[in-house]
Amino acid sequence: MIAYLDPQQNQTPNPPSVAGDGPGIGTETEPSITTASSDFGGIIHAVPAAVIHPKSVTDVASAIRLAGTQHLSVAARGNGHSISGQSLSDGGLVLNMRSLDAKMELVTLPNGRYCADVSGGALWEEVLEWCVKNYNMAPLSWTDYLGLTVGGTLSNGGVSGQAFRHGPQVANVVQMEVVTGDGECRVCSPVDSSDLFYALLGGFGQFGIITRAHIPLQPAPRMVRWIRVVYDKFEEYTADAERLATRTGPDMFDYVEGFAFVNSSDPVNGWPTVPFPSGPSFDAGLIPVGSGPVLYCLEVAVHYNYQRNDKVDEKVDDMLRPLNNIRGLEFIVDVSYVDFLSRVKHVEKEARANGSWESPHPWLNLFIASSDILDFDRHVFKHILKHGIGGPMLVYPMLRRKWDRRMSVALPESEIFYLVALLRFPRPYPEGPPIDEVLAQNHEIVNCCRSNGYDFKLYLPRYETKSDWAEHFGDGWSRFVRRKADYDPMAILAPGQKIFSRAA
Ligand code: FAD
C-alpha cells in the first residue's frame, strides 16, 4: 500500500506514530523503504522509519511539523541521484518529492519575460518536454543528464555546458516556494525574503524543502550543431576552452564542455569515446608522435533554426578556425535541440543493459581554479588516471561572476575555474575493481589537491566532521551556520549531509 500524509490527520494533537500503520502519516511498502535507503552512489545505506509521499506543500509542512514533535529528521528525496547518502534519513522520514503535484504553469514576469512554474519534484526532462511541447520555449541552463529533480539540483548547483554563458541552474531561478525547518511555508525571491532565497541555492536542502520554482525561459531553438575537436596538449585545450568561455558578442558558442580520454583504443576510456555514432571513426594516425597518455576533447555546440539568417555553416567555420586542435580530428553532427539535451539518456540505457547503472558509483566532482588546472592535469590525468576510470572524465571551464556570492555554494576564488567530474561506471566486483580501491583513488586525488595547495572545492561534497564542513565553506561558514539557526533551528532537515546534528 502506498499511503499519503493526510494533513487533516496531522492537525490532531496526537499524530499517529510514524512507524505505525494507522491513518495519517502512511506506512510504506517494503520497496519504497528499500529504495529510500540507498542512492545512485550505492555506497552509503541508511534505513528510514518511513517514506512519505506528499501531494502538496501542506503535506510537506505537516510532515516537517510532525517530525518536530517526534524528534525525527526529514530528508527530501528528489530522484535519489546523490552519490554519498545526501538524500538519506537514518531512522527518520524521507519525503518522496516525485509525488508532489506535477502541474506546470507559464508565468509572465513584470518585464515581459516568461517563466515555468514547476514542482520541486519535477525532473528536468519533464520540464523540457512540457516547455517545448506547449510553448516552444525552454530553460537556459541545464545539467548533462535530465533525470534529476528541480529541487535537487537547485540545492546543489546544476552545471553543464551552458553554465559559462548563462550561469548554473542556481543562477536561473527567480522565485521559490519552500517549507523551512520550522514547518512554515514561504515564498522567496531576490527581492522578497532574499536571504532565504540565496540560502536555498546550493544549500544542500539544509534550510528548507523547495516545493515549487519559477524557471526563466527562452525561445527553444530547433536544431543544434554539436562539435568535438581533439587536443594532445592540455595547455592548448585550456587556452581555447577559456577563450571560448570568456568571449562575448555574437560569436559565442551556446555550449562549451570537454573531457579527457585515454590515448589508446580502449573502447570505454579511449579514442572510440570521441566520435558520434553515425559519423567518421577516430583516425589515430593523426595523433602527433610523442603525445602523452591522455588526450582532450573540447565539445561545443551552436543553436540554430534553419532560417536564412542563421548562417550556421559560416558561423561555425569562423568560430572553429582559430582553435589549436589536431586538424582532421573534428567530429560534427546536427541534432534536434531536444535530442541534444537528452543525449545522456542513451548512456543510461546502455548502462542499465550492462548492469553498471545499478552498481556502486564512486564519483568525484571538483571545482578547480584555472591557475591550478595545468598542475592538476600533470598529477591527476596524466599520472593517477592515465588508464581512465571506466567512464567520462569531464573537464571544462566556468566563470565565477555567473554565480551570486549570496548563494550558499562554495567555489574557488579564481574568476575562471574548471569542473572536473570523474563519472566512474565500474563493472561490479570482481569483474571490476573493489570499491574500496576506487574510493582510495578518490582520496588520493583530493589529497593531491590539498597537498599542492590548489584553490579548489568539492562539488556535491559529503564530509564526516564539522571542521571539514567549516573548511569547505571557508568565509561562508558563519553565514551558513546563522542561516541554519534562522530557518531550521532544530536541525530537522537533510540529515544525510552530516553537517548539523538534530537538536534533542
Ligand atoms: P537527490 O539526490 O534526491 O537529493 C540531493 C540533495 O538535495 C539531498 O540532500 C536532498 O535532501 C536535497 N533535496 C532534494 N530535493 C530537494 C528539494 N525539493 N528541496 C530541498 N532539498 C532537496 N549534476 C550537475 O550539476 N550536472 C550534471 O550534469 C549532473 N549529471 C548527473 C548525472 C547522473 C547520472 C547523476 C546520478 C547525477 C548527476 N548530477 C549532475 C548530480 C546531481 O545534480 C545531484 O545528484 C543532485 O543531488 C540532484 O539529484 P536528485 O534530484 O536526485 O536529488
Side-chain angles (χ1 to χ4, degrees), residues 264-417:
S264 81
S265 60
D266 179 320
V268 178
N269 299 294
W271 309 322
T273 58
V274 175
F276 297 110
S278 52
S281 53
F282 193 99
D283 181 355
L286 295 172
I287 301 169
V289 177
S291 295
V294 174
L295 302 174
Y296 312 92
C297 175
L298 184 65
E299 184 176 69
V300 293
V302 176
H303 297 166
Y304 68 101
N305 279 316
Y306 276 142
Q307 283 161 1
R308 199 180 279 273
N309 61 1
D310 274 346
K311 293 192 180 151
V312 66
D313 297 331
E314 269 173 55
K315 185 173 166 182
V316 168
D317 284 352
D318 287 350
M319 287 160 80
L320 292 181
R321 201 168 301 116
L323 300 184
N324 285 310
N325 60 293
I326 302 172
R327 298 298 171 198
L329 289 178
E330 293 96 5
F331 302 88
I332 302 183
V333 70
D334 291 279
V335 292
S336 78
Y337 178 64
V338 171
D339 283 350
F340 175 72
L341 291 177
S342 314
R343 63 196 177 278
V344 181
K345 200 83 190 163
H346 83 94
V347 177
E348 176 178 356
K349 269 194 203 131
E350 277 170 26
R352 282 190 191 280
N354 69 27
S356 63
W357 192 261
E358 306 302 336
S359 39
H361 301 101
W363 288 9
L364 179 65
N365 290 279
L366 304 147
F367 289 134
I368 301 180
S370 157
S371 50
D372 294 317
I373 200 70
L374 296 184
D375 206 49
F376 179 90
D377 169 63
R378 219 167 12 253
H379 288 293
V380 179
F381 287 135
K382 286 197 175 74
H383 182 60
I384 301 175
L385 301 179
K386 67 179 175 220
H387 300 301
I389 58 166
M393 302 193 285
L394 306 185
V395 51
Y396 62 88
M398 44 194 94
L399 309 179
R400 186 81 161 75
R401 63 173 176 272
K402 300 283 179 180
W403 302 65
D404 195 302
R405 283 183 184 268
R406 291 169 289 182
M407 294 172 182
S408 292
V409 192
L411 297 173
E413 274 311 312
S414 168
E415 168 55 12
I416 302 177
F417 63 90

Side-chain angles (χ1 to χ4, degrees), residues 40 75-82 86-87 97 120 143-145 148-149 151-153 155-156 158-159 204-205 208-210 357 363 459-460 494 497:
F40 184 80
R77 178 185 173 89
N79 209 19
H81 276 51
S82 295
Q86 288 94 334
S87 60
M97 301 305 288
T143 45
D144 294 342
Y145 173 69
L148 309 168
T149 61
T153 67
S155 300
N156 283 291
V159 296
F204 302 138
I209 295 185
I210 301 162
W357 192 261
W363 288 9
Y459 177 48
L460 310 167
Q497 304 274 5

Side-chain angles (χ1 to χ4, degrees), residues 131-322:
C131 291
V132 171
K133 212 182 205 166
N134 293 295
Y135 299 101
N136 210 20
M137 300 193 83
L140 289 81
S141 186
W142 295 96
T143 45
D144 294 342
Y145 173 69
L146 304 187
L148 309 168
T149 61
V150 169
T153 67
L154 292 181
S155 300
N156 283 291
V159 296
S160 181
Q162 301 84 12
F164 82 95
R165 182 166 181 166
H166 299 294
Q169 290 183 318
V170 284
N172 285 276
V173 53
V174 294
Q175 182 178 299
M176 287 178 280
E177 176 191 80
V178 57
V179 182
T180 43
D182 51 9
E184 287 297 311
C185 172
R186 305 166 198 233
V187 174
C188 57
S189 73
V191 285
D192 292 321
S193 303
S194 65
D195 182 65
L196 174 59
F197 178 80
Y198 290 111
L200 294 168
L201 298 172
F204 302 138
Q206 291 299 316
F207 312 113
I209 295 185
I210 301 162
T211 48
R212 297 203 67 83
H214 286 190
I215 311 293
L217 304 177
Q218 65 178 352
R222 285 183 59 190
M223 296 295 294
V224 173
R225 181 153 298 179
W226 181 12
I227 302 151
R228 289 178 177 165
V229 297
V230 174
Y231 294 75
D232 64 325
K233 296 191 177 59
F234 191 60
E235 52 280 19
E236 288 181 353
Y237 171 82
T238 52
D240 277 355
E242 292 185 20
R243 211 167 14 247
L244 297 182
T246 51
R247 186 186 277 178
T248 51
D251 281 353
M252 286 176 86
F253 281 104
D254 291 296
Y255 166 100
V256 175
E257 269 209 15
F259 56 94
F261 62 100
V262 176
N263 188 4
S264 81
S265 60
D266 179 320
V268 178
N269 299 294
W271 309 322
T273 58
V274 175
F276 297 110
S278 52
S281 53
F282 193 99
D283 181 355
L286 295 172
I287 301 169
V289 177
S291 295
V294 174
L295 302 174
Y296 312 92
C297 175
L298 184 65
E299 184 176 69
V300 293
V302 176
H303 297 166
Y304 68 101
N305 279 316
Y306 276 142
Q307 283 161 1
R308 199 180 279 273
N309 61 1
D310 274 346
K311 293 192 180 151
V312 66
D313 297 331
E314 269 173 55
K315 185 173 166 182
V316 168
D317 284 352
D318 287 350
M319 287 160 80
L320 292 181
R321 201 168 301 116

Side-chain angles (χ1 to χ4, degrees), residues 33-55:
I33 292 272
T34 307
T35 305
S37 304
S38 190
D39 59 14
F40 184 80
I43 297 159
I44 294 178
H45 303 271
V47 182
V51 181
I52 295 173
H53 301 269
K55 296 284 278 178

